[in-house]
Amino acid sequence: MPVPTSGVAWWGSLLWLAAVTVAAFGVAWVTGTRLHVRRAAYIPILLIVTAALWIGYVDWLGLDVGDAATNRWDWGVAGGLVAGFALAAAVRTQPVDRHVARRELPLTLAWEGVVYGIGEGMLLAGLPAFVAWQMVHSLGWGGFPGALARWTLPVVAAAVVIVTHHLGYWHCRGRILLPITLACSVLTIAYLLTGSFVAPVVGHVVMHFGAVLHGVEMPPVDRPARGTGARGRRPARLAA
C-alpha cells in the first residue's frame, strides 16, 4: 500500500479513525433515521461524506489522491469481482421484498448499484482498514507482531465502523448485524490482499447489483406507520 514519505503520528491516524466511525454512524442516523431521507437522496449525502473523509485523510498523509485511488487497480478489479460475485450469490438466498420495474432498472442499477456501492464500499471496507494499516505502519512494528497487526487491526477497525454505521439505521439492529459485518469484512480482506481501494468498491458495487436484481431492500427504509407495530417493520437484509 502507498505510505507517506515523511513520518506521521500514529495517534493522528487514530483520531481520523474515530472521525470515520462517528461520521459513519452520523450519516445513517441523522439522515436515514432522524430525518427520514429517502434512499435516492441519501446516497449522494453518503458519497459526499465518504469522499470528504477519504480525500482529507489521504491529503493529511501527504499522498497523491489519484495515485492512492489507482494503486494496483488491476488487482483491485480482479479481487473485487471475485469477492463481489461471491457476496451477490449470498444475497440471492435472501427473501425478495421489492420489485423494480424493468423501465426503472437501468437507473436503479446506476444509482443504487454503482453510486451507492462506491460510497459504502469505501466508507465501510476501504477507508477504516487503510487508516488502521497506516497507524500500524507509523508505529514501526516489525516482524511477526507487525505482520499480525497489519492483517488483524484493519479488519477489526472496518468491522467496528460497519457495525457502528448500521446501528444508525433504525431497522439494522440485532442479529442481522452479524451477516452484514461478515459480508463487508470479505471486502476488507479483498482490499488487504490486493492493496487496492478498487477491490472493496468494485465488490460492493457487484453486491448491490445482486441485491437490486434479486429484489432485496437496502437501507435506509421507511419506518412503518404508527400503529402497525412489528408487523409493519421491514427486516434488514444482507446487502447493506
Side-chain angles (χ1 to χ4, degrees), residues 81-93:
L81 289 175
V82 171
F85 278 112
L87 294 176
V91 168
R92 293 189 64 82
T93 66

Side-chain angles (χ1 to χ4, degrees), residues 2-229:
V3 295
T5 54
S6 59
V8 295
W10 67 268
W11 51 265
S13 291
L14 183 61
L15 291 176
W16 272 98
L17 185 58
V20 171
T21 306
V22 171
F25 174 81
V27 71
W29 184 74
V30 173
T31 59
T33 298
R34 298 297 298 176
L35 300 180
H36 310 293
V37 174
R38 295 295 181 89
R39 189 181 308 113
Y42 167 76
I43 291 172
I45 297 173
L46 174 73
L47 188 63
I48 290 170
V49 170
T50 301
L53 288 168
W54 185 76
I55 293 173
Y57 181 66
V58 171
D59 183 70
W60 179 79
L61 288 175
L63 299 175
D64 182 80
V65 173
D67 291 342
T70 59
N71 181 63
R72 296 170 61 91
W73 66 267
D74 48 349
W75 284 95
V77 171
L81 289 175
V82 171
F85 278 112
L87 294 176
V91 168
R92 293 189 64 82
T93 66
Q94 302 296 307
V96 175
D97 51 17
R98 68 182 293 201
H99 297 281
V100 179
R102 182 174 297 181
R103 65 179 180 277
E104 298 174 355
L105 187 58
L107 180 59
T108 303
L109 286 173
W111 198 238
E112 297 189 16
V114 178
V115 181
Y116 197 2
I118 290 173
E120 276 205 330
M122 182 62 72
L123 178 64
L124 304 182
L127 182 56
F130 180 63
V131 176
W133 196 95
Q134 293 291 342
M135 184 172 64
V136 175
H137 176 76
S138 297
L139 286 167
W141 292 348
F144 177 76
L148 182 63
R150 281 182 172 84
W151 280 98
T152 57
L153 290 184
V155 175
V156 171
V160 169
V161 173
I162 292 162
V163 171
T164 305
H165 174 69
H166 286 90
L167 284 174
Y169 298 121
W170 68 269
H171 63 295
C172 285
R173 295 161 188 171
R175 289 179 295 178
I176 191 63
L177 283 174
L178 179 58
I180 289 175
T181 304
L182 291 176
C184 291
S185 295
V186 169
L187 300 176
T188 302
I189 294 171
Y191 167 57
L192 292 174
L193 287 172
T194 62
S196 172
F197 278 116
V198 176
V201 169
V202 169
H204 222 100
V205 168
V206 173
M207 183 174 67
H208 277 207
F209 268 37
V212 171
L213 294 173
H214 183 60
V216 172
E217 189 82 73
M218 290 183 287
V221 301
D222 294 335
R223 280 185 179 274
R226 288 187 176 183
T228 59

